[in-house]
Amino acid sequence: MIDIKDILKMSPAKNTELTMINSEEYYTRFSQSAISENIRKHETILDIKVIQDKKIGSAQINKFDEKSIEQAYIKAMNSLNSQKSDDSILSLPDK
């Protein structure tokens, strides 16, 4: 998996917020009153939010190769560019 700092550096926007969500789910299936299968599902999702010119765009991915990340940024920027400016949207604070 690519480092989160590298993902942030790839952003074309002035402000970018990344939120990574990890989840684990467990299921047990029963058949004829007996356990027939135990299932574990692990998922990691990255929520990308770009903020620029008083507009916000976002995208989510669950694959972390460079191409998927670039496509997510394109989707987020396209989403941002289709929005109208909103004076209530502020930039993210500086470091």
Side-chain angles (χ1 to χ4, degrees):
M1 184 189 311
I2 191 167
D3 185 76
I4 195 82
K5 290 178 184 178
D6 294 331
I7 295 172
L8 193 56
K9 288 178 188 175
M10 294 170 69
S11 177
K14 291 178 185 174
N15 290 269
T16 303
E17 176 184 273
L18 301 176
T19 305
M20 188 167 283
I21 303 161
N22 288 304
S23 67
E24 252 183 309
E25 297 176 5
Y26 297 88
Y27 304 96
T28 301
R29 292 186 180 167
F30 294 88
S31 176
Q32 299 176 354
S33 299
I35 294 173
S36 62
E37 188 174 17
N38 285 314
I39 301 168
R40 175 185 167 259
K41 178 183 173 187
H42 177 83
E43 185 172 42
T44 301
I45 297 172
L46 180 66
D47 183 49
I48 298 172
K49 185 184 290 184
V50 291
I51 304 169
Q52 188 169 292
D53 302 326
K54 299 191 181 268
K55 300 184 223 175
I56 298 175
S58 65
Q60 284 189 342
I61 57 172
N62 62 357
K63 291 196 279 184
F64 300 97
D65 58 279
E66 196 167 324
K67 184 177 178 182
S68 295
I69 295 165
E70 288 171 355
Q71 289 174 339
Y73 273 124
I74 290 168
K75 182 177 178 182
M77 291 302 290
N78 286 339
S79 172
L80 176 139
N81 291 327
S82 68
Q83 304 295 318
K84 291 184 179 180
S85 293
D86 182 347
D87 289 334
S88 68
I89 295 174
L90 304 174
S91 294
L92 295 172
D94 292 334
K95 293 181 183 179

